[in-house]
Amino acid sequence: MNVMKKIHIKKGDTVYVNAGNDKGKTGKVLEVVPSKDRAIVEGINIVSKHTKPNSQHPQGGIVKQESSIHISNLQLIDPKSGKATRVGYRMDGDKKVRYSKKSGEEI
């Protein structure tokens, strides 16, 4: 029985990395993979990938690219203070919106 967990970040959000080799860095979320609870963040978790020559990389060789990071190691940046915050959900009329637990401001 696979239960989908609530993912507190979305594509385009600015996040803070609170664990791992890139702890303390911030970056923009490029992609979220809900099935694996992971996200790809710009400039975070850079890995070296060995590639064969192809039309995009005629030379081939080693390419540096971002790898996914578990969402439990990411926190959203508060739009007001610019610091990491937890995310809450509330109803705004008939719309469900995310808000910052630190400042109470909508995200």
Side-chain angles (χ1 to χ4, degrees), residues 21-70:
N21 292 340
D22 293 314
K23 182 176 180 175
K25 293 183 183 177
T26 59
K28 188 178 176 189
V29 177
L30 301 175
E31 187 184 338
V32 178
V33 186
S35 59
K36 294 182 179 176
D37 287 342
R38 298 179 82 81
I40 297 174
V41 183
E42 195 173 40
I44 304 295
N45 202 17
I46 301 290
V47 295
S48 300
K49 185 178 179 187
H50 298 259
T51 58
K52 286 185 174 179
N54 59 26
S55 58
Q56 288 175 329
H57 302 285
Q59 193 65 40
I62 300 171
V63 178
K64 299 270 188 193
Q65 68 181 37
E66 290 99 353
S67 183
S68 65
I69 185 169
H70 200 272

